[in-house]
Amino acid sequence: MKKVLLINPYETEQDGFTNPPLGLLYLAGALLPNGFDVRIVDGCREGREAVISALRDFQPHLVGITCLTPGRHKAIDAARMAKELVAGCRVIFGGAHPTIMWRQMLVHYNDIDVIVIGEGEGSLLEIAQGRELSSIPGIAFRGSDGIPRQTSVRPLIQNLDQIHFPAWHLIDIRKYQPRGNRIFRGIDLSAEPRISIIYSRGCTGHCDFCSTWWIWRGWRHRSPGNMVDEIELLYNKYGVRHFCFADDAMTVNREATIQLCNEIIARKLSIAFHVTTRTDCVDIEMLKKLKAAGCYTIAFGIETGSSELLASMGKENEIQRSISAIKWCRKVGIPVTALIIIGNVGENEKTLSETMDFLKKTHPDEVGCVGGLWILPGTKLYRDCRARGLIDDDFWLSDEPFQTYCEDYSLDELRHLVKRFVCFKSILRRVMDKLRRWSRR
């Protein structure tokens, strides 16, 4: 039996928080029914030594490593360890960064043998089955002449219900951290691990800072019944009560979202879940259904309070729609996190004031801000910055995780601006806590 080890690289957590490696769990779900011996090591959760031990002890034939841009050098280190510890193994990379930068990675990192481009379940299975690489769509590899080459584009899986459930039994779900600070319908969010699930792939937006469109090329969703079958499995077999829909825009299809909520309610699943979506993809009736099904918080990609910047970044949304969405959430009783970016292209005191005015007007419960506009490969922003000579492809060979856009404000100025919004967030939280106490009187 061919052995496959799937690795989530170490030290790639975000804000100190680690989600289960959902992409690897899906890949394992595709391999296991086809007779492969599959293991997953979550280096992000278990650390670098756990990756070394798994390689040394398991001696896999194939090593699959997921790779995002900020943590690409940890993934490259894992590939190097695989080649040192497992003679003759084939190392396969997948994820956003190698999908976009496949040629550069194959030219500069000899420990990588094959790159899966985009959706990975079918491509990895065919690699594991031993098919000739040149006949497998959706991959890149070095030819006999050492030159990287890409095969034909693999069609996307249109019926997501055909994909096997993630192989949840390959990880210890209870080891993953909770993420919350309250009790929701009897569920202690500070004690229950928050487990990621996904209802859809892709997004309808074309934001210039995002590469989702490059990976997923559109938006597709599972059937409500199939999604709730997985939730019910996690609920009954693993005791999961706390979920996070990891979709980029979970509620794009109104009817499918409402059907999903109805299915959760009909099966009497007492759960709590977090949703991220767009403000133009909700309405008050949908929000009522989400709340009834267990939605305890929702995050909206607001980005800015400036209509001018929204248009220039390709957000394809309107400020008034965001104001209405947050108002509806407040009426229904779903707390809102407004995700914003400080330092957008064309940012100035006027646009910053518009963003602050938006937050004062809408009073979201939380404000999420990463502290600058990240320039990432595969985005329109990256192409524009490269054309202006602000960055080039060689940057991704450096040790820097990403580059922050600094044409309108320096890094120090951006840090100061972010502090202004963080201070406002603290004041806002105290105001919202007071409002909630008054509403309970």
Side-chain angles (χ1 to χ4, degrees):
M1 183 183 295
K2 187 175 286 187
K3 296 186 290 186
V4 181
L5 180 65
L6 302 175
I7 298 174
N8 191 27
Y10 61 94
E11 297 175 12
T12 53
E13 62 274 354
Q14 296 181 344
D15 296 328
F17 184 78
T18 306
N19 289 305
L22 190 56
L24 298 183
L25 291 164
Y26 267 110
L27 295 176
L31 293 170
L32 286 167
N34 288 277
F36 296 96
D37 184 5
V38 184
R39 296 185 189 178
I40 291 176
V41 57
D42 187 355
C44 193
R45 174 73 184 81
E46 304 291 341
R48 187 173 188 269
E49 289 304 313
V51 175
I52 293 173
S53 295
L55 287 164
R56 183 183 292 122
D57 297 343
F58 189 44
Q59 290 293 300
H61 301 95
L62 296 180
V63 177
I65 303 172
T66 190
C67 176
L68 298 177
T69 296
R72 63 193 181 280
H73 289 294
K74 304 300 182 183
I76 293 163
D77 183 53
R80 179 187 58 77
M81 291 191 295
K83 290 295 188 178
E84 289 178 356
L85 297 170
V86 186
C89 72
R90 174 177 276 178
V91 172
I92 305 158
F93 263 40
H97 190 79
T99 287
I100 297 160
M101 302 300 295
W102 61 269
R103 188 183 303 276
Q104 183 186 75
M105 297 200 86
L106 288 172
V107 167
H108 289 275
Y109 304 110
N110 290 330
D111 293 325
I112 303 171
D113 297 309
V114 185
I115 286 174
V116 170
I117 296 174
E119 201 162 54
E121 288 89 352
S123 298
L124 181 61
L125 175 60
E126 292 175 15
I127 294 169
Q129 289 172 331
R131 283 187 53 183
E132 179 66 35
L133 292 180
S134 60
S135 71
I136 300 174
I139 67 169
F141 64 99
R142 295 181 202 85
S144 57
D145 55 4
I147 297 174
R149 59 195 59 190
Q150 181 182 6
T151 61
S152 60
V153 175
R154 176 175 288 274
L156 294 172
I157 302 169
Q158 293 303 319
N159 183 0
L160 297 183
D161 288 4
Q162 294 177 344
I163 299 174
H164 290 281
F165 285 170
W168 291 107
H169 65 284
L170 294 183
I171 63 169
D172 184 351
I173 285 176
R174 307 308 297 184
K175 286 185 176 181
Y176 289 86
Q177 305 107 307
R179 195 166 190 175
N181 57 5
R182 64 191 178 103
I183 294 176
F184 177 81
R185 296 181 181 174
I187 301 169
D188 187 350
L189 304 180
S190 67
E192 288 289 331
R194 194 176 81 170
I195 302 303
S196 300
I197 51 177
I198 194 162
Y199 187 37
S200 63
R201 293 184 175 185
C203 184
T204 56
H206 300 88
C207 302
D208 68 354
F209 54 82
C210 182
S211 62
T212 290
W213 66 271
W214 188 309
I215 308 298
W216 299 120
R217 308 195 303 276
W219 188 88
R220 299 156 288 151
H221 69 90
R222 301 161 68 173
S223 69
N226 177 266
M227 180 72 259
V228 182
D229 284 346
E230 184 184 348
I231 293 173
E232 193 167 38
L233 169 73
L234 288 162
Y235 186 93
N236 291 328
K237 187 172 182 178
Y238 300 99
V240 178
R241 299 293 183 267
H242 189 187
F243 295 88
C244 171
F245 281 95
D247 310 47
D248 289 291
M250 182 259 197
T251 64
V252 166
N253 185 309
R254 183 180 188 275
E255 182 180 354
T257 303
I258 291 174
Q259 289 177 353
L260 173 71
C261 295
N262 286 338
E263 192 71 20
I264 292 171
I265 295 166
R267 299 196 200 185
K268 295 181 171 59
L269 298 174
S270 180
I271 62 174
F273 59 86
H274 167 92
V275 165
T276 298
T277 193
R278 294 171 54 98
T279 57
D280 58 352
C281 293
V282 297
D283 58 55
I284 193 162
E285 296 305 319
M286 178 198 292
L287 290 167
K288 287 178 181 178
K289 281 291 185 181
L290 284 165
K291 176 71 179 292
C295 180
Y296 71 90
T297 184
I298 189 164
F300 289 127
I302 302 297
E303 322 310 352
T304 177
S306 164
S307 296
E308 179 184 351
L309 292 188
L310 272 187
S312 65
M313 70 175 63
K315 185 70 183 180
E316 300 173 356
N317 201 356
E318 298 176 358
I319 299 297
Q320 186 55 50
R321 190 59 197 258
S322 295
I323 292 171
S324 297
I326 296 175
K327 179 182 176 181
W328 294 333
C329 286
R330 176 141 304 110
K331 187 172 183 179
V332 170
I334 300 177
V336 171
T337 296
L339 304 175
I340 62 171
I341 298 172
I342 304 300
N344 290 291
V345 177
E347 193 87 84
N348 54 43
E349 285 302 314
K350 176 178 177 288
T351 61
L352 289 168
S353 294
E354 288 173 331
T355 299
M356 186 66 79
D357 290 343
F358 172 88
L359 296 174
K360 290 176 180 177
K361 182 174 184 177
T362 57
H363 292 292
D365 299 84
E366 295 284 345
V367 178
C369 178
V370 297
L373 176 63
W374 293 1
I375 304 172
L376 297 171
T379 64
K380 181 179 180 297
L381 174 65
Y382 177 66
R383 295 196 302 276
D384 290 346
C385 289
R386 186 173 57 187
R388 294 166 60 187
L390 304 179
I391 192 172
D392 60 32
D393 287 351
D394 286 346
F395 177 85
W396 308 114
L397 301 174
S398 75
D399 292 332
E400 295 297 324
F402 51 83
Q403 182 159 309
T404 302
Y405 182 80
C406 294
E407 286 303 288
D408 300 306
Y409 291 94
S410 69
L411 273 177
D412 285 341
E413 288 172 325
L414 285 172
R415 293 188 189 104
H416 177 71
L417 289 171
V418 169
K419 284 181 181 178
R420 278 171 51 185
F421 280 84
V422 169
C423 289
F424 174 74
K425 179 172 71 172
S426 178
I427 296 169
L428 185 65
R429 186 182 295 115
R430 291 198 295 271
V431 171
M432 295 309 299
D433 287 343
K434 187 176 292 185
L435 287 173
R436 278 192 286 269
R437 288 196 297 271
W438 286 346
S439 69
R440 288 195 291 266
R441 291 179 179 175

